[in-house]
Amino acid sequence: MSENKFDILIVGVGGQGVLLASEIISAVALRAGFDVKKSEVHGMSQRGGVVTSHVKIADKVYSPTIAQGQADIIMAFEQAEGLRAINWMKKDGIAIISRTTLIPAIVTSSKELHYPEDPIAAAKAKAAKVISVDADDIARELGNPRVVNTILLGVASNYLPFSVADWTEAMKSKIKERFVEINLTAFERGRSIKLDTVKA
Amino acid sequence: MKELLSGNEAVARGVYEAGVKLAAAYPGTPSTEILETLAARYRSVYSQWSPNEKVAFEVGIGASLGGARTLVAMKHVGVNVAADPLMTFAYTGVNGGFVLVSADDPEMHSSQNEQDNRYLARFAQIPFLEPADSQEAKEMVKLAYDISEEFDTPVMLRLTTRISHTKGIVELNDPITPEEKKFKKDPAKYVMVPANAKVRHKIVVERLEKLRDHSENTPLNYAELNGSKVGIITGGVAYQYAREVAPDFDYFKIGFGNPLPLQKITDFVNAHETVLVVEELEPYYEEQLKAVGLKVEGKKFFGKLGELSPYRVALGMKEAGVVAEISHPEIDAESLFPRPPVLCPGCPHRGVFMALRKLKVAVTGDIGCYTLGTLKPLNALDTCICMGASIGSAIGMEKVQGAEKGVVAVIGDSTFFHSGITGLLDAVYNQSNVTVMILDNRATAMTGGQEHPGTGRTLMGEKVSHVDIPTLVKAMGVKNVREVDAYNYKETLAVIEEEIAREGPSVILTSRPCVLMPKRIMDEPYVVDLELCNGCSACFRISCPAIAAATETNKYGHPKAVIDPTLCTGCTLCAQICPEECIILKSQFVKA
Ligand SMILES: Cc1ncc(C[n+]2csc(CCOP(=O)(O)OP(=O)(O)O)c2C)c(N)n1
């Protein structure tokens, strides 16, 4: 990842909170004095389809979307979606993938279509720096299944040049007050997960 | 002050800063958030949803003639609906400044076609401005009002999905107060009977010449020179892609796109060895430049289908021979199952399509969430052209007896108000035997649940009386009007069957509201008794996101079903079609 350029692709399934995560990252970047653009598609895709958000951070950002194969970080809220997006990442990029599994009806009702056996293993076969996160388990342990996105943000924060204070302020500005506390805890849990801690 | 705003939010901000008095629109991705932002944040602007884009445009005409700065906004295909008033309003010109936002959708993220509306501005002989980011979007809105008033013309602001839905940093300014104006009677200008229109057409032609001069001089069309032998002519989001891929080339950026600044561009082309036109969709610039004999290339390298991207632009530049090396993706793509959008758990449209699938009738469709009824495994909607097309097409198909088992038109409530009413009039007048199902979920669900004449609330949140669809269709002369509960599969099936067999036009209304709007509906969830489930997969075929494959399988290895209790809304449809009757209310489930 070059000194001052961070291309982050966030993927998931409609309803998983992809847009809130990209909203928070953009707010941190703005706070830290970077130029930032974030691009996503609303509409059809939010009815349980794939949701993709491009966040671009640099001293000066031109294209609103990431060039295919140039993402520095991929955050995936669903593991097959992480695998689907993996070719958007640089070979030495960091993929942060939640072990969440969501199998669509089109697959369960079909004999020809299959959900991959182990999407994260398949992603690891293609890229060196894949961090698998048991975000559902952690979220359940923390008592709120909806904090999966902040757990992943916590993991990603290890690879982005923003202070915890900036992250905290950005989350406070984007999250409803009564959920701030638990999201900050979730973020801290995520922050303790790094490439070397999962490799062990 | 600086804020992170989407292109749509920036347009709303620009509208506020320009002192606009009225904004009218019909929702449509990617334009919808412009009016939503106005209603939420800038309440000094009176804003309203109209039943369709034509009416929105006409409301806008009245406001402009009444002296107010006015905005109308719509998606690209909405401009087709509003094209009739647009073509002639271009003749009369304005009183208060008038801006039409056309939000195009290259790649068809949420649309039925990817038409390039720059041609519509040219067709109407009006100027269009095209921003390349949120900051420009806001500034161009304000400039558009000045141009509209100076040249006495409606002005199009052309956006695309990546401009509308990209957030970027925007510097905010204070609003201005435009000069107070009122309507002045001026039939020669505003009454387009032939005698007056002939005079006005001449003025339009002369206006275009003045606009051509303006185009040569406006700072919106400018060259960015880096001393390169390669020149790129571009505009809109394509500028950003090219600029990122090839920062060292020279650029001519077009922000004012009709008429083109041909002299300035000729100078630019003559000063470069190779000139490429990088534009999304159609060769709008390229053809006009080639027509005046300029040596440029574009579509040959960049294509005209779908959205451009930095990678596509890089590939095109390599093919054109202006760059030697580009970065290719290093990791191979994985080929995986598709994940198309689906009807929500508990969506009242589901029961309708289960019944229609069973009856094997031809189903002429329309546009809305219910268009998803075409997807596997429901497979029960057979046509989708444009808003309102379901009813007319059903009439035609029925008149030629083109469908063996009969034809049913399926249309949503918002779409019915938009352009279904006239289709139904046709059915009554021409004594068609069609069956029209109006899926009345009391929301414009597909675009995010906007209010409409049937919901009893306006965009700005006022309570109003709602239009009662049964009363309306009866008044139009439909004799057979039925209501069904689409959560009741057997009843829905029986009523559709009866109405198909009946002479004359029938209307069947569904009564259940959208599960998401205005409040999320959650009833007691159902569970699958895995001891009784035999893995027949009937419930998988109703395409409910709450039903998933269990790890447990039947003797053939087919998975049994499980229901996610956090997603199930308790609509009961799966329980009604389960042959083993093993889907039961959670509270009634007793483990053996
Ligand atoms: C001319 C035109 N305007 C707007 C749209 C965008 N659009 C697609 S579906 C839809 C609304 C559908 O609402 P409704 O008919 O009530 O169906 P629902 O989604 O609620 O099922 C709109 C506004 C369009 N496709 N074409």
Side-chain angles (χ1 to χ4, degrees), chain B residues 64-85:
Chain B
S64 164
L65 299 194
R69 285 194 160 185
T70 301
L71 178 91
V72 298
M74 53 203 64
K75 69 184 290 165
H76 59 337
V77 289
V79 186
N80 301 340
V81 178
D84 202 2

Side-chain angles (χ1 to χ4, degrees), chain B residues 138-157:
Chain B
K138 194 200 79 168
E139 292 312 313
M140 282 190 185
V141 168
K142 297 196 283 184
L143 285 171
Y145 282 104
D146 295 340
I147 294 167
S148 172
E149 285 163 4
E150 181 182 344
F151 294 91
D152 192 8
T153 176
V155 175
M156 180 192 282
L157 183 78

Side-chain angles (χ1 to χ4, degrees), chain A residues 47, chain B residues 26-29 31-32 52-53 74-82 110-112 343 347 349 366-371 385-387 411-419 439-450 452 514 517:
Chain A
R47 300 271 172 275
Chain B
Y26 179 71
T29 315
S31 70
T32 312
N52 69 28
E53 292 86 353
M74 53 203 64
K75 69 184 290 165
H76 59 337
V77 289
V79 186
N80 301 340
V81 178
S110 322
S111 302
Q112 65 267 39
L343 296 173
C347 174
H349 299 336
D366 227 299
I367 306 198
C369 284
Y370 49 94
T371 315
I385 308 285
C386 67
M387 287 189 76
I411 187 167
D413 47 346
S414 187
T415 305
F416 180 68
F417 290 123
H418 179 281
S419 47
L439 309 189
D440 182 10
N441 60 1
R442 262 141 286 146
T444 314
M446 180 89 262
T447 44
Q450 291 75 21
H452 64 58
C514 173
M517 265 81 70

Side-chain angles (χ1 to χ4, degrees), chain B residues 52-225:
Chain B
N52 69 28
E53 292 86 353
K54 179 175 185 288
V55 177
F57 197 100
E58 290 154 350
V59 169
I61 291 177
S64 164
L65 299 194
R69 285 194 160 185
T70 301
L71 178 91
V72 298
M74 53 203 64
K75 69 184 290 165
H76 59 337
V77 289
V79 186
N80 301 340
V81 178
D84 202 2
L86 166 64
M87 289 299 149
T88 304
F89 189 46
Y91 279 29
T92 68
V94 307
N95 186 19
F98 183 101
V99 174
L100 158 67
V101 172
S102 166
D104 295 10
D105 190 17
E107 196 73 35
M108 298 172 270
H109 294 288
S110 322
S111 302
Q112 65 267 39
N113 78 18
E114 53 180 350
Q115 67 185 52
D116 186 334
N117 277 8
R118 294 177 298 173
Y119 286 96
L120 277 182
R122 191 158 185 240
F123 189 33
Q125 311 194 57
I126 61 168
F128 78 80
L129 308 188
E130 183 169 21
D133 60 26
S134 295
Q135 176 69 39
E136 281 190 8
K138 194 200 79 168
E139 292 312 313
M140 282 190 185
V141 168
K142 297 196 283 184
L143 285 171
Y145 282 104
D146 295 340
I147 294 167
S148 172
E149 285 163 4
E150 181 182 344
F151 294 91
D152 192 8
T153 176
V155 175
M156 180 192 282
L157 183 78
R158 193 238 187 184
L159 308 175
T160 53
T161 300
R162 291 294 173 189
I163 299 298
S164 286
H165 288 172
T166 294
K167 285 200 174 184
I169 300 171
V170 176
E171 179 80 48
L172 308 185
N173 302 106
D174 291 329
I176 59 144
T177 313
E179 176 200 346
E180 274 284 341
K181 289 192 223 170
K182 289 277 178 244
F183 179 59
K184 283 193 292 286
K185 285 178 191 274
D186 187 355
K189 185 171 186 310
Y190 297 129
V191 182
M192 286 304 93
V193 292
N196 294 340
K198 280 177 189 168
V199 179
R200 293 301 305 180
H201 191 185
K202 184 158 173 281
I203 293 173
V204 170
V205 173
E206 291 161 5
R207 181 179 74 198
L208 214 51
E209 286 316 306
K210 289 182 198 146
L211 286 163
R212 206 180 298 284
D213 280 346
H214 183 79
S215 181
E216 295 288 352
N217 295 310
T218 168
L220 295 179
N221 296 330
Y222 64 92
E224 223 176 78
L225 301 175

Side-chain angles (χ1 to χ4, degrees), chain B residues 246-427:
Chain B
D248 299 329
F249 288 165
D250 286 0
Y251 283 85
F252 192 93
K253 181 174 176 296
I254 300 171
F256 183 103
N258 188 52
L260 283 177
L262 288 173
Q263 189 52 53
K264 251 188 180 171
I265 294 178
T266 304
D267 295 345
F268 180 81
V269 172
N270 290 340
H272 291 90
E273 261 171 36
T274 312
V275 178
L276 297 177
V277 182
V278 183
E279 59 188 323
E280 214 161 43
L281 297 177
E282 302 296 322
Y284 174 86
Y285 298 137
E286 184 181 348
E287 279 179 349
Q288 290 183 66
L289 301 183
K290 283 182 167 166
V292 295
L294 294 178
K295 217 176 123 268
V296 297
E297 283 303 339
K299 287 296 141 190
K300 201 162 112 187
F301 305 118
F302 302 103
K304 55 189 225 174
L305 306 182
E307 221 171 37
L308 290 179
S309 66
Y311 186 51
R312 265 184 76 180
V313 170
L315 284 172
M317 287 182 172
K318 176 143 199 287
E319 211 187 316
V322 295
V323 295
E325 279 311 318
I326 65 170
S327 314
H328 293 286
E330 300 161 303
I331 302 174
D332 291 335
E334 181 88 3
S335 147
L336 283 175
F337 63 89
R339 193 190 291 275
V342 276
L343 296 173
C344 301
C347 174
H349 299 336
R350 180 171 285 106
V352 171
F353 290 111
M354 287 163 60
L356 290 170
R357 173 176 64 186
K358 175 96 179 169
L359 294 170
K360 300 196 167 60
V361 285
V363 178
T364 56
D366 227 299
I367 306 198
C369 284
Y370 49 94
T371 315
L372 298 173
T374 193
L375 297 178
K376 280 183 195 166
L378 285 171
N379 287 111
L381 177 135
D382 303 310
T383 70
C384 166
I385 308 285
C386 67
M387 287 189 76
S390 60
I391 303 179
S393 337
I395 296 169
M397 200 178 285
E398 184 272 322
K399 288 287 178 197
V400 300
Q401 308 218 312
E404 254 168 57
K405 302 207 185 267
V407 44
V408 173
V410 171
I411 187 167
D413 47 346
S414 187
T415 305
F416 180 68
F417 290 123
H418 179 281
S419 47
I421 297 174
T422 41
L424 190 59
L425 267 181
D426 188 300

